[in-house]
Amino acid sequence: MSLSREYSAPLLYIDGDWIGADARESEPIYNPATAQEIGRVPHATSTDLDRTVEAAGRAFPAWAALSADERGKILLRAQALIRERATEIARVATLENGKNYREALAEVQRSSGTLSWYVEVAKRAYGRVIPSDASTRLYTVREPIGPVAAFVPWNFPSGGPLRKLSAGLAAGCTFVIKCSEETPATAVQLVKCFEDAGVPAGVINLVFGDPPMISEHLIAANPIRMVAFTGSVPVGKLIAQHAAKVMKPCIMELGGHAPVIVAEDADPVMAAKRSAFGKFINSGQVCTSPTRFIVHERHHEVFVETFVEAAKALKIGDGLDDGVQMGPLANPRRLDAMERLVQNALEKGARLELGGKRMGNQGWFFEPTVLTEVPLDADIMIEEPFGPVVPIVRFSSLDTALEIANSTAYGLAAYCFTESAATAERITNALEAGILSVNHTGGSVHEAPSGGVKESGYGREGGEEGFEAYQIVKRVSHKFN
């Protein structure tokens, strides 16, 4: 299979108009596999942003007034177009993000299913009748919250936008969505599918540009009624502060540093193989990626040996080449972070089992890296690595393992491996996380909620909870006489 490296310049989408760079500021877009510039992304101006919020506010009443079935028919057409164009969307995502093509294609196909799932949820957005006195009808109705300002990072170029758009559009909301300047063309491809499916002008508006300027402008804008953000903890805190000033509700899906507990009663070979598979998805650049491996001392050697073998077997390269399993990191910032974290761990006494350095002489590749005997005060045990570096520590007591697992400010995802239902239940009850997977490292699914506790954020995406976030509950008390 030979995939083209052709790349089309991304555009802004405002009130049904596609807008190029023109006289606007722009910034370069790079192919992470070559570190070569492949295009430029236009920056939205403050005037552009004013147009987007005006358009989203104007389009909202008509979009919200459609029945769930009428909105659903349009969204199902969009889903069909996304699936029809999935190979091209995935190719573009690989070109600008670096992940291997098979992962990118699976992401498009999987995330497009979120649309049909929420189309069905919208048909069941029931209110309720509350018992009251005979002369009064007391009931609730659920209504769309209004225009939404959404912010999406670069690591899932199709999945990130679709998680927000699917639930919000099905609920009857309109959007101004700012996607990453590092992966803009994927977002453009998705929005074109919605446009071609018949989503009216103004319902979706797509912008790129200076993140602080855009976030402050959109959040403060009067038509905007809600903020949906996925990204780092520091940026999430700033976004939440802006929203709090104008009392706008938020979904905050922030960073994680997921512990993986391999219990004494686990199968260490199975645990290592499944952990390695989950760890190197998108080169470890996933907020729910398994990142701190806490292994019972009885299984430590076998787990490390199996994990290293699995890491060595990975085919690494340009994600558009045949058979590649792990691509480059998304940008040079990630390379610098990996080098710093590895060096810090080694200085503190960790042992390097595999990798530890950059790869090749072009692109932003970093070796799959395995560290053992990592001190708990090493930076990599405290900070989210967001890359293919694996710290492994051993434990003798499950109480100690749980203490290590809960020791960070994060509380997004967590994993455990055990063949005991009792151990699984104990770990489930004790772990401070919003997402827990037992005996696997699978990712999010559209039918179930995902979100964090502690500094990993609040609110949920996915499941009925993710739909309810885009609605308000109106209480009605109707006295007949």
Side-chain angles (χ1 to χ4, degrees):
M1 176 180 65
S2 178
L3 294 169
S4 168
R5 267 65 174 177
E6 182 181 350
Y7 188 81
S8 299
L11 306 168
L12 307 174
Y13 184 65
I14 301 175
D15 198 13
D17 294 331
W18 290 101
I19 302 169
D22 300 326
R24 290 171 178 78
E25 290 186 14
S26 64
E27 66 180 274
I29 308 158
Y30 297 97
N31 179 348
T34 64
Q36 298 299 308
E37 182 177 329
I38 55 176
R40 298 190 69 86
V41 56
H43 283 201
T45 66
S46 59
T47 301
D48 293 327
L49 298 179
D50 288 339
R51 281 192 65 200
T52 66
V53 295
E54 191 278 331
R58 176 170 29 85
F60 172 68
W63 181 250
L66 294 176
S67 69
D69 186 61
E70 290 172 314
R71 286 195 301 269
K73 288 176 181 177
I74 298 172
L75 297 180
L76 290 177
R77 286 199 293 270
Q79 180 190 46
L81 288 173
I82 291 169
R83 289 183 169 174
E84 180 182 309
R85 303 171 187 177
T87 54
E88 175 61 11
I89 297 170
R91 184 193 70 81
V92 171
T94 297
L95 196 61
E96 60 185 7
N97 172 268
K99 66 176 61 184
N100 76 67
Y101 174 75
R102 288 187 302 171
E103 277 185 24
L105 182 59
E107 179 186 332
V108 177
Q109 294 169 332
R110 180 181 64 252
S111 56
S112 67
T114 311
L115 278 164
S116 55
W117 198 83
Y118 277 118
V119 164
E120 293 304 313
V121 172
K123 296 175 184 177
R124 296 163 180 79
Y126 305 131
R128 59 195 173 104
V129 177
I130 302 166
S132 184
D133 63 82
S135 66
T136 304
R137 177 60 58 89
L138 183 61
Y139 62 98
T140 64
V141 293
R142 290 163 61 181
E143 300 176 348
I145 195 169
V148 177
F151 304 88
V152 182
W154 46 262
N155 57 331
F156 286 94
S158 58
L162 283 172
R163 287 183 78 180
K164 291 173 171 52
L165 291 172
S166 297
L169 292 173
C173 297
T174 56
F175 277 83
V176 181
I177 184 166
K178 192 201 88 68
C179 293
S180 170
E181 292 71 35
E182 295 180 57
T183 55
T186 307
V188 168
Q189 294 273 346
L190 294 173
V191 171
K192 283 183 177 177
C193 291
F194 284 102
E195 179 188 43
D196 292 346
V199 172
V203 172
I204 302 174
N205 301 273
L206 173 66
V207 296
F208 311 100
D210 178 58
M213 186 275 283
I214 291 177
S215 60
E216 290 183 34
H217 196 114
L218 293 181
I219 293 169
N222 183 53
I224 299 298
R225 292 288 178 265
M226 176 189 168
V227 177
F229 175 82
T230 299
S232 70
V233 171
V235 176
K237 289 179 178 179
L238 291 173
I239 295 288
Q241 288 174 16
H242 293 314
K245 290 177 184 177
V246 285
M247 291 301 295
K248 294 182 181 178
C250 301
I251 298 175
M252 287 283 159
E253 187 190 29
L254 307 182
H257 200 350
V260 183
I261 295 177
V262 181
E264 184 177 9
D265 48 32
D267 176 346
V269 173
M270 181 266 282
K273 288 181 178 179
R274 292 184 181 178
S275 292
F277 173 80
K279 175 60 192 176
F280 298 115
I281 289 174
N282 201 18
S283 304
Q285 300 169 120
V286 183
C287 57
T288 56
S289 178
T291 53
R292 293 177 292 142
F293 296 85
I294 307 162
V295 182
H296 191 273
E297 58 187 7
R298 173 185 168 194
H299 299 314
H300 184 266
E301 290 185 12
V302 172
F303 182 89
V304 171
E305 180 182 346
T306 306
F307 202 111
V308 167
E309 288 177 0
K312 284 181 177 178
L314 290 170
K315 182 177 179 180
I316 302 165
D318 187 325
L320 292 176
D321 290 342
D322 285 344
V324 167
Q325 297 166 293
M326 191 182 97
L329 298 181
N331 53 59
R333 303 187 303 277
R334 303 311 319 142
L335 278 179
D336 294 341
M338 294 309 101
E339 289 186 325
R340 178 180 61 81
L341 291 171
V342 170
Q343 185 61 33
N344 174 268
L346 295 176
E347 289 174 355
K348 287 182 176 288
R351 177 178 173 181
L352 183 65
E353 303 287 347
L354 180 71
K357 60 183 184 298
R358 303 183 185 212
M359 296 179 62
N361 55 13
Q362 72 169 10
W364 300 316
F365 293 91
F366 198 84
E367 295 176 328
T369 299
V370 179
L371 299 164
T372 58
E373 312 301 337
V374 183
L376 298 183
D377 65 347
D379 289 348
I380 197 167
M381 295 299 292
I382 302 167
E383 302 175 20
E384 180 181 23
F386 228 61
V389 179
V390 177
I392 302 174
V393 300
R394 66 178 83 207
F395 73 91
S396 57
S397 160
L398 188 55
D399 286 337
T400 300
L402 290 166
E403 183 179 349
I404 295 170
N406 291 332
S407 65
T408 72
Y410 299 101
L412 187 57
Y415 306 90
C416 72
F417 289 87
T418 174
E419 295 188 346
S420 163
T423 301
E425 191 68 12
R426 181 182 172 191
I427 293 173
T428 298
N429 291 335
L431 280 176
E432 297 171 349
I435 308 164
L436 175 64
S437 299
V438 181
N439 289 333
H440 71 99
T441 56
S444 300
V445 292
H446 44 252
E447 63 268 26
S450 294
V453 299
K454 301 196 288 188
E455 292 195 8
S456 287
Y458 47 82
R460 293 295 182 266
E461 291 193 312
E464 292 187 6
E465 293 85 350
F467 183 80
E468 291 168 359
Y470 291 93
Q471 294 188 307
I472 60 168
V473 176
K474 180 182 288 184
R475 190 204 74 180
V476 182
S477 179
H478 181 183
K479 200 163 190 66
F480 303 136
N481 51 51

